[in-house]
Amino acid sequence: MPTSTETDGQYGAPQRGPDPRAARSRAAALAAAQELLVEEGWSAVTHVAVAARSGVGRTTLYRHWPDAAELIRDAIALRIAGAHTAPTGDLREDLVRELEGLRALLHDPVSETGLRAVIERAGADPVFAELKESLYRNGSKVFREVLDGAKLRGGLPADLETDRAIDELAGPLMYRRLLAGRAFDGRYVRQVVDDFLRAHAAR
Amino acid sequence: MPTSTETDGQYGAPQRGPDPRAARSRAAALAAAQELLVEEGWSAVTHVAVAARSGVGRTTLYRHWPDAAELIRDAIALRIAGAHTAPTGDLREDLVRELEGLRALLHDPVSETGLRAVIERAGADPVFAELKESLYRNGSKVFREVLDGAKLRGGLPADLETDRAIDELAGPLMYRRLLAGRAFDGRYVRQVVDDFLRAHAAR
């Protein structure tokens, strides 16, 4: 990587036009950060280690990510945000689809390790606290829409607490993956949804 | 703390008799490690920081805990193991009591931070991987007894998967505390148990 990259990166600031060298450096740095995160956890993602692995100069890294936590945030934020689909109105189908998004997140090495890092660091580091907050808000948004819609239409009891319902849907997947350390497939997801509906679907 | 403590600690080895100075040093070191863990996370629990805070010499710390991960393990292992009670045979009561143990663990600063550290470090550090394994085994043992007993006695369907049942009981609590970042009380625990029983109790 030419040393000129050191002086012309414009990753964070509003850009006058796309700068392909800056974009390549940014991508290389974030890819190196993802690898280090997966291999050794967040504490291995330092400016020195990312520079050594990516070939991007430390000066450039420090300029764009003064704090290593911001570098980790950018390395995982897109992967961890997950893809959400628009609810169809079919309660079971909509819940299965949202949980399938969570299943994918929990089985992708970068987003899974990122989630573990977020859970650990949120208490001590404001960058991670904010990331956890937006992750939770984002991750529960479609569930909230789906559940509240079903309560309005009578598919779920009107007095069901939406927050607890989300815990009962997402919690088992998190527990199985992060605590029990086990993988699971679409069959497991459908069983969790069916158990949830057996407990709550309007009788 | 007298410097003689440096040479006579016998924390790990079989003891000829109790050594009150060694016991005091050990307790001081573990208390300092717990404080650092709660304040800043596992990465702040270094030999240097624990020595500075506890007054126990670094040589002593290194002799008994060559790896900082072992120091953290000993600082959280007892707190995180939790108290389990013997099942009474009343399914709802037994599930509520076990989940109350998990609720206590999730609301104690040391064990909660310890659990977050275990979740993050298990992938990268064998000391934490082992701790997570024993934590999971231990934490699910009584659930397993209670659920398998109820399946035998006909209170739960014989074909209910015990592992998924545990995910559905413990997962919501973990999710609410570690992801949503919210506290909860005994009412929440009973609701999770009642939802579980509504989904599964033999009809």
Side-chain angles (χ1 to χ4, degrees):
Chain A
M1 181 148 302
T3 48
S4 66
T5 311
E6 288 286 285
T7 53
D8 63 6
Q10 294 285 342
Y11 307 164
Q15 308 212 351
R16 268 155 296 175
D19 176 339
R21 277 173 309 176
R24 272 199 302 278
S25 291
R26 180 184 161 86
L30 294 180
Q34 291 181 341
E35 287 171 22
L36 288 161
L37 180 72
V38 169
E39 289 165 19
E40 301 175 58
W42 65 264
S43 61
V45 186
T46 61
H47 292 89
V48 173
V50 171
R53 188 171 291 216
S54 66
V56 177
R58 275 164 70 179
T59 316
T60 303
L61 295 177
Y62 273 109
R63 192 165 55 244
H64 295 294
W65 295 286
D67 185 334
E70 297 164 354
L71 179 50
I72 299 171
R73 177 198 57 204
D74 288 356
I76 62 180
L78 280 177
R79 294 285 272 277
I80 222 174
H84 299 284
T85 49
T88 65
D90 177 329
L91 177 58
R92 180 175 188 271
E93 176 65 20
D94 288 340
L95 293 177
V96 167
R97 274 160 52 160
E98 268 305 289
L99 279 190
E100 277 293 332
L102 179 57
R103 176 166 83 89
L105 186 148
L106 288 168
H107 289 78
D108 166 75
V110 173
S111 56
E112 188 205 339
T113 324
L115 185 61
R116 290 178 190 268
V118 164
I119 287 173
E120 202 269 321
R121 291 318 285 157
D125 185 320
V127 173
F128 283 94
E130 204 183 290
L131 187 54
K132 181 170 85 67
E133 218 12 66
S134 91
L135 173 65
Y136 174 69
R137 230 185 0 252
N138 230 303
S140 55
K141 189 170 163 285
V142 175
F143 278 122
R144 221 169 277 285
E145 262 176 68
V146 169
L147 294 164
D148 288 343
K151 291 196 308 196
L152 277 175
R153 290 192 309 272
L156 289 172
D159 62 353
L160 173 63
E161 284 171 40
T162 301
D163 282 331
R164 188 172 88 247
I166 294 173
D167 300 341
E168 291 179 351
L169 288 160
L173 279 67
M174 291 275 184
Y175 188 79
R176 171 154 293 210
R177 189 68 181 149
L178 302 185
L179 262 294
R182 292 174 55 188
F184 53 86
D185 57 16
R187 182 173 162 270
Y188 176 82
V189 168
R190 290 189 299 276
Q191 287 174 323
V192 167
V193 169
D194 288 337
D195 290 343
F196 172 84
L197 291 175
R198 212 161 25 240
H200 296 295
R203 278 134 282 174
Chain B
M1 184 149 301
T3 49
S4 65
T5 312
E6 288 285 285
T7 54
D8 63 6
Q10 294 286 341
Y11 307 165
Q15 305 212 356
R16 267 156 297 176
D19 176 339
R21 277 172 310 173
R24 271 199 302 277
S25 291
R26 180 185 161 85
L30 293 181
Q34 291 182 341
E35 288 172 22
L36 288 162
L37 180 72
V38 168
E39 290 165 18
E40 301 176 57
W42 64 265
S43 62
V45 186
T46 62
H47 292 90
V48 174
V50 170
R53 187 171 292 216
S54 67
V56 177
R58 273 164 71 179
T59 316
T60 304
L61 295 177
Y62 273 110
R63 192 165 56 244
H64 296 293
W65 296 286
D67 185 334
E70 297 163 353
L71 179 50
I72 299 172
R73 178 197 57 206
D74 289 355
I76 62 180
L78 281 177
R79 294 286 272 276
I80 221 173
H84 298 284
T85 49
T88 64
D90 176 329
L91 177 57
R92 180 176 187 272
E93 176 65 19
D94 288 340
L95 294 177
V96 166
R97 275 163 48 162
E98 268 305 288
L99 279 190
E100 277 293 334
L102 178 57
R103 174 166 83 90
L105 185 149
L106 288 168
H107 290 78
D108 167 75
V110 172
S111 56
E112 189 206 340
T113 324
L115 184 60
R116 290 178 190 267
V118 163
I119 287 174
E120 202 270 320
R121 292 317 287 156
D125 186 319
V127 172
F128 283 94
E130 205 183 288
L131 187 54
K132 181 170 86 67
E133 217 15 66
S134 91
L135 171 66
Y136 175 68
R137 231 186 356 254
N138 229 304
S140 55
K141 189 170 163 285
V142 175
F143 278 123
R144 222 169 276 286
E145 262 176 68
V146 169
L147 294 165
D148 289 343
K151 291 198 305 195
L152 278 175
R153 290 191 309 273
L156 289 172
D159 63 354
L160 173 63
E161 285 170 40
T162 302
D163 282 331
R164 189 173 87 248
I166 295 172
D167 300 341
E168 291 179 353
L169 289 159
L173 278 67
M174 290 277 184
Y175 188 79
R176 171 154 293 210
R177 189 68 181 148
L178 302 185
L179 261 294
R182 292 174 54 188
F184 52 87
D185 57 15
R187 180 172 164 269
Y188 177 82
V189 167
R190 291 190 298 276
Q191 286 174 323
V192 167
V193 169
D194 288 337
D195 290 342
F196 172 84
L197 292 175
R198 208 157 33 237
H200 296 294
R203 277 135 285 174

